[in-house]
Amino acid sequence: MGTAVAGSTFQNLLYEKKGAIAHVTLNRPKVLNALNQAVFAELKAAFEDVRDDAAVRGVILTGSGDKAFAAGADIAEMSTSTGVQAEESTRHAQAVTELIENLGKPVIAAVNGFALGGGCELAMACTIRIAAETAKFGQPEVKLGIMPGAGGTQRLPRLIGKGRALQLILSGEIISAQEAYRIGLVNEVVPNANLISRSEAILNQINSNGPLGVKYSIDAVNKGLDGSVSEGLLIEASLFGICAGSEDKKEGTSAFLAKRAPNFQGR
């Protein structure tokens, strides 16, 4: 049986909450956690549940098994779709990546193996990417006569620069975790056995801070990247003002002056 959440029964995901951290695990190991429309629908339901649950402060997204985070789109499903159907399914996938990127809570992609095509795009939508030493990354869609369709042409150049992004997209090359770290695609590379514990440690560090400060920092970075520096500074000042008027600000500054640990309430 799947897990019933937000009115959905999950057949393709494992979803559980451990304290303030939600774990979302792509669970189609026999097909290397390939992404189809059913998977994206379940991801949408899981992340909407996370968004709406005030007790959850962060998410770890990973894949089941030891081979793949997600090895791309489900080719069998894609091979029979028309152009109109493909555009519609791509828009659905893009909406899920936008939901993850703008969740207002940190999402760590714990990349445990192949992150190719849609799998790499899913990881790029996350706030932070931690890779196991055996992880591999790539956008090999051109090898199938298509192109990235779940944000790869937009997020990859923003993360690693236009030239490197185009080289990866146009060549379809698959790179190692170490190369992904060198070019800035991933934040850290860790031994496979430490992948989840390191991801949890990062989230615990983030979760010790004010939730409003965390949420609005994510918003400021994401929205600021879409415009000029001047526009981004206006967004930053506006969100800073909201934080400065919050109860969390009063608590944080009072705790600092009293040399005690703060007790943030997220308001």
Side-chain angles (χ1 to χ4, degrees), residues 128-232:
I128 294 168
R129 285 152 294 286
I130 307 298
E133 289 173 332
T134 56
K136 295 192 183 304
F137 298 82
Q139 299 288 161
E141 288 91 344
V142 289
K143 293 179 180 292
L144 297 174
I146 53 173
M147 60 177 281
T153 64
Q154 302 307 304
R155 292 192 179 94
L156 193 58
R158 283 168 166 80
L159 280 167
I160 68 172
K162 179 182 174 182
R164 281 184 174 136
L166 279 169
Q167 183 176 351
L168 279 177
I169 291 167
L170 300 181
S171 69
E173 181 184 359
I174 295 170
I175 61 173
S176 68
Q178 290 73 22
E179 176 66 4
Y181 173 74
R182 188 186 73 81
I183 64 177
L185 180 54
V186 302
N187 296 66
E188 296 181 18
V189 179
V190 300
N192 291 43
N194 298 352
L195 181 62
I196 300 302
S197 61
R198 176 57 183 149
S199 299
E200 289 174 337
I202 294 169
L203 280 182
N204 287 333
Q205 185 177 14
I206 293 171
N207 291 346
S208 69
N209 301 317
L212 292 182
V214 169
K215 170 181 166 51
Y216 291 131
S217 292
I218 293 171
D219 284 353
V221 170
N222 287 347
K223 292 188 173 84
L225 280 173
D226 289 335
S228 66
V229 172
S230 295
E231 291 166 333

Side-chain angles (χ1 to χ4, degrees), residues 3-51:
T3 306
V5 171
S8 300
T9 300
F10 294 158
Q11 304 296 338
N12 302 290
L13 301 180
L14 300 175
Y15 178 57
E16 62 179 328
K17 300 171 188 177
K18 298 179 181 176
I21 298 175
H23 292 254
V24 179
T25 305
L26 299 163
N27 191 34
R28 303 180 76 210
K30 290 181 181 177
V31 290
L32 300 179
N33 302 320
L35 302 167
N36 59 17
Q37 286 306 294
V39 175
F40 278 113
E42 292 184 12
L43 283 168
K44 180 175 184 286
F47 277 96
E48 285 177 344
D49 185 69
V50 166
R51 180 194 63 199

